[in-house]
Amino acid sequence: MLLLRRVLIGVGVVALVAGIAALVPLGLAHEKPLAICASDPRTYPSAGIEGWRGEQLENAATIMATASDLGFARDGQILGVMTAMGESSLRNIDYGDWETSGFTNPDGSRTTSIGLFQQQEWWGSVEQRMDPATSATLFYERLARVPDWPSMDPSLAIHRVQINLDPTYYSRYAADATAVVDALSMPC
């Protein structure tokens, strides 16, 4: 009788532990995902957003904050992020088209493109073009001067600022830029 009692208690304990072990993952599966905070890179998903991660998301957040400070809403933020995706893959690089592809300016001179937006020397000093917030400000100041930019195709509006060889070049980044801006815009 004592042996049967111990066996039943043992089976009960095993069943209880197994039940708890099965319920814990189910409970965790229903937990709200952690919020992404644009101002806190520690909250960025390790898998990234549409493949953009780490430093790239930090630069996107800086572009978005700069745009917001200058009065640009979501659509303007998307354009800035699209531009930097197309120009530098959202990396603040100290080289440009001349170094990577041998591209020259229309007059044949060497390009001097650097930074997130691959801005040439007439945009500002090296320090300005290499500072993510300042280079974003330079971009948005020029975008603001494009008449009716909000009603234009986004890639064409960007082209009016960047003067890329292909006016539709930035279109390929629209979905990714929208996903990044929307994810980084969530309340945290």
Side-chain angles (χ1 to χ4, degrees), residues 107-128:
D107 67 1
S109 64
R110 176 182 169 172
T111 61
T112 56
S113 309
I114 56 173
L116 287 174
F117 293 89
Q118 288 292 281
Q119 295 159 328
Q120 294 201 54
E121 60 192 6
W122 59 78
W123 284 77
S125 69
V126 169
E127 293 78 19
Q128 290 173 311

Side-chain angles (χ1 to χ4, degrees), residues 92-95 114-116 125-132 135:
N92 198 24
I93 53 179
D94 62 356
Y95 57 87
I114 56 173
L116 287 174
S125 69
V126 169
E127 293 78 19
Q128 290 173 311
R129 293 179 290 146
M130 288 301 295
D131 177 71
S135 65

Side-chain angles (χ1 to χ4, degrees), residues 148-171:
D148 298 323
W149 71 265
S151 63
M152 297 175 72
D153 173 272
S155 189
L156 297 179
I158 295 167
H159 174 70
R160 295 281 306 273
V161 175
Q162 295 294 112
I163 313 168
N164 192 297
L165 290 174
D166 176 5
T168 63
Y169 171 74
Y170 302 97
S171 296

Side-chain angles (χ1 to χ4, degrees), residues 35-45 48-49 52-65 74 77 81 85 90 176-188:
I36 299 172
C37 239
S39 61
D40 186 358
R42 294 173 301 171
T43 66
Y44 298 169
I49 302 167
W52 306 91
R53 57 181 48 89
E55 169 201 2
Q56 295 169 309
L57 294 177
E58 289 179 48
N59 287 327
T62 298
I63 292 166
M64 293 169 58
R74 177 179 176 270
Q77 293 171 20
V81 172
M85 284 176 168
L90 282 171
D176 282 4
T178 300
V180 166
V181 168
D182 288 347
L184 294 178
S185 295
M186 301 295 262
C188 52

